[in-house]
Amino acid sequence: MNFFLSPASTKPLVWLRVSLSLVLIAQAWMLRHSVDAFFANDGIIQGELAEALSSPGLPKISWLVHALSSFSVSEASCIHLTCGAYFLGLILLAFGVFGRITAAFCWFLHWTLMSTGQTTNYGVDLYAHVFLFYLIWFPSRSRDQPSSLARLGLRLIQIHLCITYFLSAYDKSLGSQWWNGELIWRALYLPVYRQFDTLWLANFPILPQIAGIAALALEFGYCIFIWPKKTRKLWIIGIVALHLGIAVFLGLTLFGILMCCLTVAAFFPDAEVEINDNLALQASEL
Amino acid sequence: MQYPLRYRVCLGLVLTHLFLMILGASDIGYSWSGPLAPALDYYGSLSGADTVYDFFAPGIDGQLRAIFKITDHFGKSREVNLAESENQEADLRVGNIIDEFQNHEDDPISFQRALSSSLAGTIFGRYPEAEKVTVKLENYIPVSMKEYRSGMRPHWDHVYEAQFAITPSGSK
């Protein structure tokens, strides 16, 4: 039970809160000119089709439009109001203002935007949604004292990451493309991801094959080798390199940065040391 | 060390959440839970516990793209883009929308018609001079490293085309 509940510093959760909100602020800024296209009834996915493609019962901007229709508030105003409130909420979250209330506010608006533009979501949105949800329940301000709740939050994000990397690696390993390097080769030249001319790699198939197997090894090994202090730094470096590679070579910049931030937050190398120091300090004060 | 009851309750909730998260992430879902299934589905959605992390798995088969050609009342044609953005973040999302063309196997024809008319409607809205919009869908056919070395090249393959025009009454 100590593994889950012995008091811990909030430092990893502070890092999670700040880095996640900064990534989402960057994302919101990059999408600022596209909100009508993605969320409006006459956007890219229009009217009834948008309704048919979305899950029923989840919060959507159309709820706000309906609620404010009697006040002659337009759909465009509702979209900009929601996005503006979300952006402001992220700034407050980054600075730790109003703590978990702000996290809940951002989580709900993020969920609303995801549900409204359901067909546009990808990895960044999925991970952000999960970790915003976690920030509601656990202390993440730097002035919060070490506590059992902080330890529980830290363990939750650590175990969550271990499970996602393991299952992701398992799904990948079912096909042959990760084992023979074809996936790396294809991903690098697929138009949607292409950043550099990498077609020459076809003459050196061993290179993409090594990269593919290394990625599988890193993801499969994450749930084991991220825990011992001896291998933790090595695995953090490997995972950060993997995601920076995704950011640079596939152009998935925000996804790559977010995944680096999550691992660094969850397995911050000095966190355990600092916790022990804090506890020793508290003991000496007693 | 003894912990207060509230922390032990919190631990129980966290472990339950992780259990649901494993079921969601491994695509098992919650339908086995009978009458609880709708509530668990909703919880999975609000917490993200139902997220499946199968990025780039098990492999890559290709990529869809949509090409839009508008024709004005002088008969002059040109190609336009659905993505108006200047960054990949927005382009990725437009790509996800285009990918929807291949995600509905139960009634693909009707769905393709509905989606292409929605996309054409967007283009008509953006380009008021357009009298006709042609939506073309192409699939990028990748080749293996071995095929590439033997001279084959990846290419775009035509898979779908639909035309939408404004009728004299103004409807599309």
Side-chain angles (χ1 to χ4, degrees):
Chain A
M1 197 166 280
N2 284 344
F3 176 77
F4 285 104
L5 292 177
S6 65
S9 160
T10 56
K11 194 170 179 177
L13 296 170
V14 172
W15 173 260
L16 171 68
R17 172 179 57 74
V18 174
S19 58
L20 176 59
S21 43
L22 289 179
V23 168
L24 291 178
I25 286 169
Q27 183 191 52
W29 183 256
M30 291 168 85
L31 294 175
R32 68 193 184 283
H33 297 308
S34 308
V35 292
D36 292 323
F38 292 143
F39 302 131
N41 201 37
D42 59 352
I44 295 177
I45 302 283
Q46 303 194 335
E48 288 177 7
L49 184 62
E51 283 295 320
L53 286 174
S54 63
S55 304
L58 304 187
K60 295 183 188 69
I61 293 177
S62 59
W63 291 9
L64 185 64
V65 175
H66 184 70
L68 297 181
S69 59
S70 53
F71 300 100
S72 303
V73 180
S74 68
E75 184 198 30
S77 300
C78 290
I79 292 171
H80 294 154
L81 182 70
T82 308
C83 294
Y86 171 65
F87 192 74
L88 181 65
L90 290 174
I91 292 171
L92 295 177
L93 186 66
F95 285 102
V97 181
F98 302 131
R100 289 188 253 170
I101 295 170
T102 309
F105 180 73
C106 290
W107 160 79
F108 183 74
L109 291 181
H110 184 264
W111 187 29
T112 303
L113 294 172
M114 275 182 74
S115 308
T116 306
Q118 200 160 332
T119 52
T120 70
N121 298 329
Y122 77 107
V124 172
D125 309 296
L126 303 176
Y127 272 101
H129 180 56
V130 168
F131 286 89
L132 282 173
F133 181 73
Y134 290 164
L135 285 174
I136 299 173
W137 306 105
F138 301 101
S140 64
R141 289 180 301 183
S142 45
R143 67 170 178 269
D144 291 326
Q145 292 298 310
S147 64
S148 292
L149 214 49
R151 169 73 73 191
L152 193 56
L154 176 62
R155 292 301 185 220
L156 176 60
I157 63 171
Q158 287 174 329
I159 295 172
H160 185 110
L161 285 174
C162 288
I163 293 168
T164 61
Y165 275 112
F166 181 81
L167 290 175
S168 175
Y170 175 74
D171 283 340
K172 289 180 174 95
S173 70
L174 295 178
S176 60
Q177 288 187 12
W178 281 91
W179 296 103
N180 59 22
E182 282 294 333
L183 189 127
I184 303 292
W185 147 258
R186 289 179 183 207
L188 288 171
Y189 76 72
L190 215 64
V192 66
Y193 302 123
R194 186 189 302 153
Q195 305 295 311
F196 308 101
D197 178 11
T198 52
L199 290 168
W200 55 270
L201 276 173
N203 296 316
F204 305 96
I206 190 71
L207 295 178
Q209 187 170 21
I210 289 171
I213 293 173
L216 281 180
L218 274 170
E219 293 196 348
F220 265 129
Y222 191 95
C223 57
I224 299 169
F225 296 108
I226 201 75
W227 295 100
K229 280 184 183 168
K230 279 185 181 174
T231 51
R232 179 177 290 194
K233 273 188 183 172
L234 179 68
W235 234 258
I236 289 176
I237 290 168
I239 285 292
V240 167
L242 170 71
H243 289 298
L244 287 182
I246 288 172
V248 173
F249 291 104
L250 300 184
L252 297 170
T253 314
L254 292 181
F255 180 72
I257 292 172
L258 177 65
M259 295 310 294
C260 291
C261 293
L262 293 180
T263 282
V264 172
F267 293 98
F268 196 74
D270 297 331
E272 299 283 348
V273 175
E274 189 185 322
I275 294 157
N276 293 336
D277 289 349
N278 279 341
L279 290 176
L281 185 67
Q282 285 175 346
S284 66
E285 284 170 353
L286 287 172
Chain B
M1 188 172 175
Q2 275 289 358
Y3 295 97
L5 179 64
R6 64 189 178 103
Y7 287 140
R8 283 182 280 159
V9 170
C10 288
L11 174 58
L13 292 173
V14 162
L15 294 177
T16 306
H17 171 81
L18 284 171
F19 174 67
L20 294 174
M21 179 254 163
I22 291 171
L23 293 177
S26 54
D27 222 2
I28 293 171
Y30 314 117
S31 54
W32 52 270
S33 63
L36 282 180
L40 293 181
D41 282 337
Y42 200 82
Y43 175 76
S45 175
L46 77 85
S47 67
D50 64 353
T51 303
V52 178
Y53 301 90
D54 57 352
F55 315 119
F56 295 104
I60 292 176
D61 292 328
Q63 175 197 330
L64 279 182
R65 76 171 175 189
I67 297 171
F68 301 90
K69 192 169 81 175
I70 59 170
T71 307
D72 62 20
H73 72 280
F74 297 113
K76 201 173 153 188
S77 297
R78 66 186 168 109
E79 283 187 4
V80 295
N81 281 324
L82 186 60
E84 292 180 304
S85 66
E86 65 287 354
N87 62 66
Q88 198 182 13
E89 188 62 21
D91 290 346
L92 278 170
R93 289 164 192 279
V94 172
N96 281 355
I97 293 172
I98 302 303
D99 281 344
E100 286 292 323
F101 272 106
Q102 60 191 3
N103 291 345
H104 295 264
E105 291 169 354
D106 45 342
D107 188 7
I109 305 291
S110 305
F111 182 77
Q112 285 175 350
R113 193 175 295 140
L115 184 52
S116 54
S117 47
S118 175
L119 300 179
T122 304
I123 298 295
F124 274 121
R126 265 188 216 163
Y127 301 93
E129 73 273 22
E131 287 207 332
K132 194 169 77 177
V133 173
T134 305
V135 181
K136 279 199 291 186
L137 201 63
E138 294 183 338
N139 192 19
Y140 193 70
I141 309 294
V143 296
S144 69
M145 289 184 273
K146 188 177 176 186
E147 289 168 335
Y148 188 84
R149 288 195 299 273
S150 69
M152 289 176 68
R153 293 293 177 261
H155 59 279
W156 291 102
D157 203 12
H158 179 88
V159 290
Y160 178 81
E161 183 167 328
Q163 284 192 348
F164 300 87
I166 295 179
T167 62
S169 64
S171 62
K172 292 156 192 164

